[in-house]
Amino acid sequence: MIHTNWATKPTLKTVKCVHTDAKKFLVSNVLTVGNTYEVKNETEEFLFVIDNTGKIGGYYKEYFQ
């Protein structure tokens, strides 16, 4: 269960949100266009960032620059 300590892990990088136009999911309530977010983990398809709620969430890379 490595995801339980992601919040205390060092930040890998920071990314900027470029859009919240999701086809299927509602992400505009947890991501803000223009804000930068700390990346705590990364896979081929997803970035795990600390979002506006203060918790870690996994989002498609297409939302970030």
Side-chain angles (χ1 to χ4, degrees):
M1 297 179 73
I2 64 168
H3 68 282
T4 57
N5 65 355
W6 282 352
T8 58
K9 266 179 69 171
T11 301
L12 299 176
K13 61 183 176 180
T14 57
V15 291
K16 184 176 182 180
C17 181
V18 292
H19 75 84
T20 57
D21 302 327
K23 297 174 189 168
K24 197 174 191 180
F25 306 102
L26 180 64
V27 296
S28 60
N29 57 347
V30 291
L31 296 176
T32 304
V33 175
N35 280 5
T36 58
Y37 296 95
E38 297 178 0
V39 177
K40 295 297 184 173
N41 196 23
E42 182 175 6
T43 63
E44 284 185 27
E45 193 174 5
F46 296 101
L47 290 174
F48 294 89
V49 301
I50 298 178
D51 58 24
N52 294 346
T53 64
K55 297 181 180 178
I56 294 183
Y59 303 98
Y60 287 115
K61 288 184 175 181
E62 69 183 47
Y63 301 122
F64 304 100
Q65 182 180 24

